[in-house]
């Protein structure tokens, strides 16, 4: 167990950066069928989700081809279902003080869904929502033994099998800009005019572009969407459909030259992919 916890701590650790607040340090899939999710995402993204776990709730690490981790996956229990849990992807955002951040989020109109708690050997965590209802975690991770400056690399603008873009769909873009800017120090000054769809506001953290925020798509709910990088969107789309997933949007090309799709896995969790044509 100690070895597994060291791996999780190392994958989520956020080091001693000048501005650690606001880094995306972990991604997590909640699913009703973790074995089926492994089959799907291993084929689509190229991951290797663990076959078994030593953690409670059958929590499994999502392995990348380079031997590191992309995040984790957890089986939704009956108790979680009764409290409204559904298949979804969630992000963990680094903060220096989880308790203080959760209180600040609540003061600014967000909600604390799971009060701060400790994961032994891993860190302190709270599950929250922004004022519009989009859920996420805040976390202060513990670095692995012997490596106090370890940095998470689960987010990368161009790394294969990692999240390359974090996108918030929100019912109030102006309020969301203010909220995330105040809570995590993100800048959102640059934008792309989407006409009737409004502004697509880019999010920058410590000089790095980490994603964007925009209005909610028709019929949608406020939420975070994460784009996993794959070599070919054409090939990935075929695999998604062959493995029982659905594609709701795309493929289409974005201004960076990349191609994207947005879809749902067989259990209903929304995901997105970004990559070459």
């Amino acid at each position: 167990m100690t070895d597994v916890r060291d791996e999780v701590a190392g994958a989520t650790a956020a080091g001693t950066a000048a501005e650690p607040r606001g880094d995306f340090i972990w991604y997590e899939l909640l699913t009703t069928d973790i074995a089926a999710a492994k089959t799907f995402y291993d084929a689509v993204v190229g991951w290797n989700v663990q076959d078994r776990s030593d953690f409670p709730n059958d929590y499994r690490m999502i392995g990348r081809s380079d031997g590191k981790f992309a995040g984790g996956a957890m089986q939704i229990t009956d108790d979680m279902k009764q409290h409204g849990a559904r298949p979804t992807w969630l992000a963990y955002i680094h903060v220096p003080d989880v308790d203080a951040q959760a209180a600040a989020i609540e003061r600014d109109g967000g909600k604390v869904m799971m009060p701060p708690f400790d994961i032994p050997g891993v860190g302190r965590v709270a599950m929250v929502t922004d004022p519009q209802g989009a859920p996420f975690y805040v976390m202060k991770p513990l670095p692995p033994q012997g490596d106090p400056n370890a940095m998470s690399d689960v987010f990368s603008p161009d790394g294969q099998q990692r999240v390359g873009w974090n996108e918030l769909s929100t019912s109030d873009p102006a309020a969301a800009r203010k909220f995330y800017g105040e809570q995590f120090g993100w800048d959102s000054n640059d934008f792309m005019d989407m006409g009737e769809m409004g502004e697509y506001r880019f999010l920058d953290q410590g000089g790095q572009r980490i994603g964007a925020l925009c209005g909610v798509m028709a019929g949608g709910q406020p939420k975070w969407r994460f784009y996993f990088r794959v070599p070919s969107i054409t090939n990935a789309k075929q695999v998604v459909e062959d493995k029982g997933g659905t594609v709701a949007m795309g493929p289409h090309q974005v201004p960076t030259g990349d191609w994207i799709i947005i879809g749902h896995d067989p259990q209903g969790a929304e995901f997105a992919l970004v990559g070459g044509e």
Side-chain angles (χ1 to χ4, degrees):
M1 176 66 91
T2 301
D3 291 342
V4 175
R5 286 177 176 171
D6 277 349
E7 290 175 349
V8 177
T12 59
T16 57
E19 176 55 86
R21 181 174 58 117
D23 289 347
F24 282 88
I25 58 171
W26 196 245
Y27 299 96
E28 184 173 277
L29 172 66
L30 301 183
T31 181
T32 53
D33 190 336
I34 199 164
K38 170 181 170 59
T39 298
F40 179 79
Y41 287 103
D42 283 5
V44 171
V45 187
W47 290 332
N48 181 20
V49 180
Q50 287 180 326
D51 292 314
R52 58 178 296 277
S53 172
D54 293 325
F55 278 125
N57 296 333
D58 199 15
Y59 194 96
R60 304 189 193 184
M61 302 290 280
I62 299 174
R64 305 192 314 240
S65 296
D66 63 3
K68 297 182 180 181
F69 297 110
M74 183 169 66
Q75 183 85 22
I76 296 174
T77 64
D78 289 340
D79 182 64
M80 292 167 68
K81 289 179 184 177
Q82 291 174 7
H83 286 84
R86 58 182 176 79
T88 191
W89 280 95
L90 296 169
Y92 287 66
I93 299 174
H94 178 270
V95 297
D97 186 326
V98 170
D99 296 73
Q101 197 74 53
I105 286 170
E106 205 162 36
R107 284 196 302 270
D108 277 2
K111 293 182 179 179
V112 176
M113 307 301 289
M114 294 175 62
F117 63 97
D118 291 317
I119 304 175
V122 176
R124 190 161 178 81
V125 180
M127 185 179 183
V128 299
T129 74
D130 65 23
Q132 289 69 52
F136 58 95
Y137 290 99
V138 289
M139 181 179 189
K140 182 179 182 180
L142 296 175
Q145 293 182 358
D147 192 3
N149 296 323
M151 299 289 288
S152 170
D153 69 350
V154 294
F155 168 75
S156 169
D158 54 10
Q160 291 292 322
Q161 300 180 7
R162 291 183 267 179
V163 170
W165 196 249
N166 305 282
E167 186 176 82
L168 175 66
S169 292
T170 178
S171 55
D172 191 338
R177 285 184 64 199
K178 183 174 185 294
F179 173 82
Y180 285 99
E182 292 179 350
Q183 294 297 325
F184 304 118
W186 295 347
D187 294 322
S188 56
N189 296 321
D190 295 339
F191 68 95
M192 182 170 59
D193 190 345
M194 302 284 286
E196 293 183 358
M197 297 176 63
E199 296 175 348
Y200 192 76
R201 283 276 173 180
F202 298 108
L203 299 172
D204 296 318
Q205 162 65 7
Q208 181 179 54
R209 185 140 295 174
I210 58 174
L213 67 82
C214 57
V216 175
M217 296 182 182
Q221 298 293 322
K223 59 188 170 185
W224 280 97
R225 179 180 299 112
F226 311 108
Y227 289 75
F228 307 113
R229 183 166 290 278
V230 296
S232 167
I233 289 296
T234 300
N235 292 343
K237 177 179 181 294
Q238 186 63 56
V239 177
V240 166
E241 294 169 341
D242 289 346
K243 295 297 182 180
T246 58
V247 175
M249 188 183 78
H252 75 247
Q253 195 170 25
V254 294
T256 61
D258 282 324
W259 291 74
I260 64 168
I261 60 173
I262 298 173
H264 293 84
D265 68 23
Q267 288 67 55
E270 186 186 75
F271 69 94
L273 302 176
V274 58
E277 184 178 7

